[in-house]
Amino acid sequence: MKKSAIVTGASKGIGWALSKALLEHDFEVIGTSRSGVIPIEHEELHALKLDLTSGESIGNFANSLKAFDKQIDLLINNAGVGPDLRSPLPDEASFDATFDVNVKGTVMLTESIIEMVKKGGMIINVSSKMGSIAYCERSGAVAYRMSKSALNMYTKILANRYDGTYKIASIHPGWVKTTIAPDNIEHARLSPEESAAKMMDFILSDFRHGIYWDAETNQELEW
Ligand SMILES: NC(=O)c1ccc[n+]([C@@H]2O[C@H](COP(=O)([O-])OP(=O)(O)OC[C@H]3O[C@@H](n4cnc5c(N)ncnc54)[C@H](OP(=O)(O)O)[C@@H]3O)[C@@H](O)[C@H]2O)c1
């Protein structure tokens, strides 16, 4: 039977490339975006609406998923925002926007659908090296960095709660040419497809439960 994956934030960037890579690896993919549109033509791709800033939208998504009546093999919490990625100091609007999506929405979504993840399945939180406290040598992007540290803590919490039930990890996708920050397309090192290929290598490997992984350099990160 085909394996099934949920990828949040599949409309563009890393989530879009990951969805294509999963389809190429014969997964059935449920991809989400706020509009419900995913620009991928494939009969095994199901596009669903999800706005992580809205409890109602999360509830509707969970109900739609129940209607699919499928056990999920892989949940990839990829959707994320970074409005203060190039800001030296935090501001309230980007702090709220960042934490609503990267932390609160991601946690609430996961809690509302985790029972639909098959025992032995995987949960991958797309974090960032910028969430590592051990590697932090700069002072900007305050909300973004803190949101990814908080997401890493959630990975640890889930790993403790579901030890022996699911395999769970935080992953850094590398520095990727997407529109998450204004200069990423010009300066970043990896195309979304290159990042997705590296992330797929990790997902398909027998990775250690509860790990924080740098997909760009293929090594474990310190929290
Ligand atoms: N690019 C990098 O160098 C890099 C490095 C480290 C980590 N990351 C992480 O990788 C993940 C993907 O980033 P990306 O670079 O691919 O960014 P991106 O191209 O901006 O894509 C972000 C995705 O998140 C979705 N999204 C945004 N707001 C949302 C909301 N309120 N509810 C639900 N979905 C929402 C977007 O979908 P819609 O707008 O269509 O709804 C889009 O599909 C993020 O978690 C990011 O922090 C990226």
Side-chain angles (χ1 to χ4, degrees), residues 108-179:
M108 292 305 140
L109 171 77
T110 305
E111 297 294 332
S112 70
I113 63 173
I114 201 155
E115 291 302 324
M116 287 177 253
V117 180
K118 198 191 263 175
K119 305 300 168 230
M122 287 181 256
I123 299 166
I124 305 291
N125 290 328
V126 181
S127 177
S128 168
K129 195 173 177 179
M130 289 177 75
S132 167
I133 293 172
Y135 291 109
C136 186
E137 291 170 349
R138 298 199 183 162
S139 60
V142 179
Y144 185 77
R145 283 182 204 281
M146 290 178 70
S147 76
K148 294 302 187 179
S149 304
L151 181 63
N152 285 345
M153 177 58 87
Y154 186 53
T155 298
K156 280 297 230 183
I157 288 166
L158 284 179
N160 293 340
R161 198 200 297 163
Y162 292 112
D163 192 11
T165 307
Y166 303 127
K167 277 182 73 169
I168 300 173
S170 267
I171 193 164
H172 168 60
W175 190 21
V176 188
K177 294 178 183 293
T178 73
T179 52

Side-chain angles (χ1 to χ4, degrees), residues 54-65:
S54 157
E56 189 186 354
S57 175
I58 290 172
N60 290 340
F61 174 77
N63 288 336
S64 310
L65 207 56

Side-chain angles (χ1 to χ4, degrees), residues 28 81 97 99 118 164 169 190:
E28 180 175 10
V81 295
F99 271 72
K118 198 191 263 175
L190 301 177

